[in-house]
Amino acid sequence: MAIRTAKAAGVRSPGRAAIAARTLRTDRWWAYPLTTFIVLLAFIAYAAYAAIANRDYYAEPYLSPFYSPCLSFHCGTVPGSAGAPHLGWFGTWWIVTPAVIILIFPLGFRLTCYYYRKAYYRSWWLSPPACAVPEPSRRYTGETRFPLLGQNIHRYFFYAALAFNVILTWDAVVAFDFGGHIGIGIGTAVLVINAVLLWLYSLSCHACRHAVGGRINHFSRHPIRYKAWTFVSRLNPYHGNFAWLSLVWVALTDLYIRLVASGVIHDPRVF
Ligand code: FES
């Protein structure tokens, strides 16, 4: 009962020290939530534009990660995407762009990510904006109720993200194929880095760590899982770094291919 009362009243609950000041912190605690807010807003705005634009996502052999895999026969027929490979699973269905359907999975993975949860709870909801800075809301229920209870779906988005990583890795491999000749362009490097960063982000995921090493009583009886858990545990402390790097790079990858496909820039070939 005491816990419920504290949750309902938050930092102003009975028994908490009454401090008139908004916070006693004197450092620039607001820098992290403000930067996070700006970067996430910029990514959301760019991703929304790229997903709705429905053009300029393929410049052979580069396919934008926002439109991979192309699901409809219409892929390859819109401006700036001539010849784009497609799966045709959705026939000629074209009510929303392929990117809108595809983005459900990587965005779901990121939205439910433990790291991003901290980031947008602090920067978008100010809940709380920083340690030792109270949130404006008087009520706090954490992730115990709908809709935040749904954050538990993260482990399933993790498996979907792995499937997308395989697809985007294949796109990076295909980016070496210039009409039957092996070559490397700047776009090849961009797509390879994109795939590597996405793998690092996924493999450092907390759900991944649990998937490979959780529910085991004796690591000595599971040496392979122990090795996998040790590997993931080494990556895990850098999960936040991989989260930002992969987010920014996937947007830059789309932007690079968009500029090449629309003819704004030329893709320099290394060989
Ligand atoms: S915790 Fe961040 S992707 Fe799983």
Side-chain angles (χ1 to χ4, degrees):
M1 192 56 161
I3 292 173
R4 268 197 198 154
T5 307
K7 273 182 181 172
V11 295
R12 297 167 189 84
S13 59
R16 301 288 294 264
I19 299 173
R22 167 118 174 77
T23 178
L24 299 180
R25 285 183 65 167
T26 55
D27 61 329
R28 292 184 187 162
W29 57 265
W30 43 266
Y32 170 80
L34 180 63
T35 309
T36 305
F37 181 86
I38 292 170
V39 175
L40 286 181
L41 184 65
F43 178 82
I44 291 168
Y46 180 79
Y49 161 74
I52 294 169
N54 195 30
R55 56 177 295 165
D56 302 324
Y57 53 78
Y58 182 69
E60 191 177 5
Y62 311 137
L63 177 61
S64 162
F66 283 23
Y67 284 82
S68 182
C70 268
L71 302 170
S72 164
F73 285 128
H74 279 290
C75 292
T77 63
V78 296
S81 65
H86 59 75
L87 296 175
W89 290 351
F90 284 57
T92 55
W93 186 69
W94 203 242
I95 295 174
V96 294
T97 74
V100 171
I101 299 168
I102 292 164
L103 284 175
I104 291 171
F105 298 97
L107 279 186
F109 184 47
R110 289 190 187 257
L111 274 177
T112 57
C113 162
Y114 291 77
Y115 178 77
Y116 282 113
R117 272 143 76 173
K118 178 186 116 179
Y120 67 79
Y121 287 174
R122 289 194 167 190
S123 62
W124 286 73
W125 299 347
L126 307 177
S127 179
C131 292
V133 181
E135 58 188 305
S137 170
R138 286 183 167 270
R139 290 175 59 82
Y140 178 77
T141 56
E143 295 177 333
T144 59
R145 296 182 185 177
F146 181 83
L148 293 186
L149 198 56
Q151 301 279 31
N152 283 317
I153 203 172
H154 181 64
R155 70 198 74 170
Y156 303 108
F157 275 122
F158 165 69
Y159 293 112
L162 290 187
F164 275 87
N165 285 358
V166 171
I167 293 167
L168 296 179
T169 302
W170 176 249
D171 288 344
V173 172
V174 169
F176 287 88
D177 181 3
F178 292 84
H181 302 286
I182 302 295
I184 295 179
I186 296 298
T188 312
V190 168
L191 281 166
V192 168
I193 293 171
N194 182 54
V196 169
L197 287 175
L198 289 176
W199 275 113
L200 288 172
Y201 172 56
S202 304
L203 293 178
S204 61
C205 164
H206 302 284
C208 175
R209 191 161 176 261
H210 179 73
V212 298
R215 295 174 182 270
I216 295 178
N217 289 331
H218 305 284
F219 268 134
S220 55
R221 292 187 197 157
H222 303 273
I224 294 177
R225 289 187 68 182
Y226 177 65
K227 277 206 169 82
W229 178 82
T230 306
F231 173 72
V232 171
S233 296
R234 284 207 188 102
L235 295 178
N236 184 257
Y238 306 102
H239 187 59
N241 303 42
F242 296 140
W244 285 121
L245 284 170
S246 60
L247 183 84
V248 172
W249 197 264
V250 79
L252 290 177
T253 303
D254 178 87
L255 178 63
Y256 182 80
I257 294 171
R258 185 167 298 281
L259 293 175
V260 174
S262 58
V264 174
I265 61 172
H266 174 67
D267 175 57
R269 291 272 294 275
V270 178
F271 69 87

